[in-house]
Amino acid sequence: MSVHEAITAHTRKMHSHLEQFQLLDEQREAAIDQAIAQCKSGQPFTVEVINRITASINEHAKHGISPTRPYVTEDMVRDHVNRTV
């Protein structure tokens, strides 16, 4: 494999890794938005889906250059809602 081919393969791998991170991060943000909306309307909510996606993001980050994300607690959601209401 030539140097050019090796660089191209590496670049494609990194790009693919970041695309996967972006998809997971968008799913996480949607789950956070849903929990916030439920909390604002006084409905019960959970952070289980958020943290399941967070675990996937953090595991994915171990295999490339993407960042990790912190886990979310129900108190964090409530605090956010209380600050923005």
Side-chain angles (χ1 to χ4, degrees):
M1 179 181 290
S2 74
V3 172
H4 177 73
E5 290 170 333
I7 292 170
T8 300
H10 178 73
T11 302
R12 283 188 183 135
K13 183 178 176 183
M14 292 179 75
H15 181 71
S16 175
H17 178 86
L18 290 174
E19 283 181 331
Q20 180 63 28
F21 165 77
Q22 185 174 3
L23 290 172
L24 288 168
D25 201 45
E26 287 171 0
Q27 291 172 4
R28 182 176 182 271
E29 289 299 317
I32 290 170
D33 289 344
Q34 181 179 9
I36 288 170
Q38 289 172 319
C39 183
K40 278 184 181 179
S41 66
Q43 297 176 1
F45 67 93
T46 179
V47 294
E48 183 179 323
V49 173
I50 298 166
N51 288 329
R52 192 174 329 122
I53 297 167
T54 300
S56 295
I57 288 171
N58 292 344
E59 182 61 32
H60 182 70
K62 292 177 184 178
H63 306 284
I65 60 171
S66 60
T68 58
R69 293 291 186 246
Y71 288 94
V72 175
T73 66
E74 291 178 4
D75 286 338
M76 291 167 75
V77 174
R78 284 187 202 97
D79 289 347
H80 175 77
V81 168
N82 290 335
R83 281 194 310 265
T84 59
V85 171

